Amino acid sequence: MAEYEAAGEEVELDEARVEAIREAVDQGDSALVSRLLEPLHAADIADLLEQIGATERRELLALWSGEIDGDVLSELDETIREEVIESLPPEVVAEAVRDLDTDDVVDILEDLEAPAQGKILDALELVDRVAVEQAMSFPEGSAGRLMQREVVVAPEHWTVGDAIDFLREATALPDQFYHVILVDPRMKPLGYITLGRLLSARRDVRLKDITEDSFRTVVATEEEEEVAYIFNQYHLISCPVVDENDRLVGVITIDDAMNVLDEEHEEDMLLLAGVGEEASVFDGPIATVRQRLPWLVVNLFTASLSAFVISRFEATIAALVALAAVMPIVASTGGIAGTQSLAVAVRALATRDLTSSNARRVVLREVTAGAINGVVLAVILGLVGTLVLGDPWMGLVLALAMITNQIVAAFGGVMVPLTLERFGLDPALASGTFVTTLTDVMGYLAFLGLATMVLL
Amino acid sequence: MAEYEAAGEEVELDEARVEAIREAVDQGDSALVSRLLEPLHAADIADLLEQIGATERRELLALWSGEIDGDVLSELDETIREEVIESLPPEVVAEAVRDLDTDDVVDILEDLEAPAQGKILDALELVDRVAVEQAMSFPEGSAGRLMQREVVVAPEHWTVGDAIDFLREATALPDQFYHVILVDPRMKPLGYITLGRLLSARRDVRLKDITEDSFRTVVATEEEEEVAYIFNQYHLISCPVVDENDRLVGVITIDDAMNVLDEEHEEDMLLLAGVGEEASVFDGPIATVRQRLPWLVVNLFTASLSAFVISRFEATIAALVALAAVMPIVASTGGIAGTQSLAVAVRALATRDLTSSNARRVVLREVTAGAINGVVLAVILGLVGTLVLGDPWMGLVLALAMITNQIVAAFGGVMVPLTLERFGLDPALASGTFVTTLTDVMGYLAFLGLATMVLL
């Protein structure tokens, strides 16, 4: 009874425990460190290692290194993992990875340099090593890298009784499996049966009569993004992976797909904000600069476009300096509107809610909404502008420029990602910079152009 | 054999099929519409209904309404679902929802108005109706709303053989279940056993000796965001739900958690862009205006802060009109840097990678990276500015303003979401507007302030 009571304790990594562990590390109390870490889930230990500083991390690992297990390495953020693996004695790393499923070993190896990779491969048993090397032969980010090779299959003529007897006698079943996959003699998957269905069916029922409706397979070279989409769209729990000849080579489970979905979201959000897709809060300042500086430099030049537009109107501004103060309002509100429209479009493209079937309708919707927003904002800005600046013509110019820029922003916000997608690029890639450049240039052009015509 | 071959066909909703269905609807060919829709997964049919226009959707439903099933309703986007349910005859809706699991019925009911809710509740069998009404008694967005009430439990003294015999004799097992939950006589969950483990263990092994290590439970009133975090963090496949007395009341499966995770991401991305969290590409123009206009109006006033700052320097600009042209460069590049820093921080808060344990280190990292970016951008802008404008002092002013604003942007980008989180608010909420207001105001202030001191 004691074992499962302990398992049910659900110890979480709260601030108090983090502080207690830090203190134990400070005092070099190896026994206390082990006692505090022991009830924690590997994912929480990894979080702890990520959140403390590099010096503290080295000290903690020195006190605790003998006990680190593969699951902790597997849960660590890539930026930290390499550092941790390098700081551990090779035999500890070898021991740690030996317990992992091959898909988790592949995940760890992907981000390591060649010498560190070799060290880990050498530590594996031959059969695992072959499995890992085969998985690594698939392109990075493909279904082949995600899948586990351990599968449970049954020939198509088996009954429920045959399958149950087989499972009960099998000596090495995968850690996690949810389906028995039905295959033909060429190992082509034909369908699968959930374990729940298997358990509740009569022994003489034929497996092929109780397969699931939602059966799908993916090809090993398929991109992981597509795999995550299929899991999410069709509510799959696991999905067999086949080679180019339709033969079963492995299976992907939903936890891996959930992970990919999570990373895809992160990538969209970061790309949209002009940050390299690999950005992490654990990166050092230099890695951070490397991710962000390129887009900042690009923006420096696109912003110069606005400066150029404004410089064409220097005579206008010289004649009426108040224009310089109010002109950013139109540009800035346009930037926000463009970002709104962009975020909805990028998201809809990712979930495939925006397709060629409804693109025209969505663009029309955006432009209509943009025009309505523009009119409302124009009325407010026109009235306030007239009152504050004491010139109804100035109010009129502000209002007209606002309407124009809101429509351009709405249109640009949806057209830029649609166009990137059409050319096979990631719709989130740099769209933010494109769209705000567009709304800045249009904002200044419309406002200063109208001002030149109306006010001078 | 024919059944599962057909199941393995994996018909997808491609452009050709969408076109064929539209044509069949146009011609009013009800038989053809049915034939084209029949092999599609409910999720794909829902996508189709979402992507076509409202008129076409009404026509399609009129031709096909008798065959619509609960899964299609369940997969539909909320904005469209209400419209579809209203357009269908009540008996069709009743028939459709009767096949659904109670958690899916709850999901449909949540977004409907009271009369439509009543119509659906009346259609349910009494036992399902009670289950649905109990689930609806939990707060919206809680674990109680997500869970299915159908669970498979075993007393703690059972052996593997007892459990297998029980499952084989049970008449009504849930559609989906992955674990047998071990409970004490008070229905307190003690642990769970995966079906795979159950199938492969000897009949005389006691269930409590083969429970999973990663067992967790959640309380029914817990927020769904927390549930999604637990699934993702601890790689759960299912998770028992308990009431305030620790008694088992239901179970949440990973597909529901994946859905929540997906929605949370969407919310973060849309909130960050200043769009209401419920925004969808299927909304009409009026709904779109309602979501976006509030933030645009807020931005109109925050942008006026920049205008006010600039107006304080009108004398400076009047003396040197070129300043008006170049001043947006510093503000705009600051806005991009702030957005970068913000996106990383919001994401890290969502994944709990940014906590009070490492907040100080992350802020320091941001400011350091901001300073380095600032220096590099300052050198470029200073040199180009000197060359283009022919005045090294102007180059110097641009460079110094750039460094200042880059540091402010990096600092603000991480402090704004941290502060919102500290006050219990969503860190993504309006942070974009706060940060760009900050970088705009600082950009203009630093540049025009320095220009007044150095150039005049």
Side-chain angles (χ1 to χ4, degrees), chain B residues 97-176:
Chain B
V97 295
R98 223 171 277 149
D99 295 332
L100 289 176
D101 278 344
T102 52
D103 57 334
D104 293 327
V105 178
V106 169
D107 185 44
I108 292 180
L109 282 182
E110 275 179 350
D111 309 305
L112 294 179
E113 304 297 321
Q117 283 195 351
K119 217 159 62 170
I120 290 186
L121 281 173
D122 289 342
L124 296 174
E125 286 169 39
L126 186 63
V127 51
D128 286 341
R129 181 180 175 140
V130 170
V132 167
E133 285 178 334
Q134 279 177 351
M136 295 288 281
S137 71
F138 290 106
E140 199 168 338
S142 68
R145 292 271 182 115
L146 277 185
M147 71 186 182
Q148 57 181 58
R149 304 181 68 84
E150 300 88 354
V151 292
V152 179
V153 296
E156 48 183 324
H157 61 265
W158 274 15
T159 62
V160 168
D162 295 332
I164 288 182
D165 294 344
F166 164 77
L167 289 171
R168 303 188 68 84
E169 278 153 31
T171 49
L173 289 172
D175 272 5
Q176 294 207 335

Side-chain angles (χ1 to χ4, degrees), chain B residues 2-18:
Chain B
E3 320 90 274
Y4 66 78
E5 279 289 6
E9 239 181 65
E10 298 180 29
V11 175
E12 306 248 334
L13 184 71
D14 53 15
E15 229 171 294
R17 189 166 288 257
V18 173

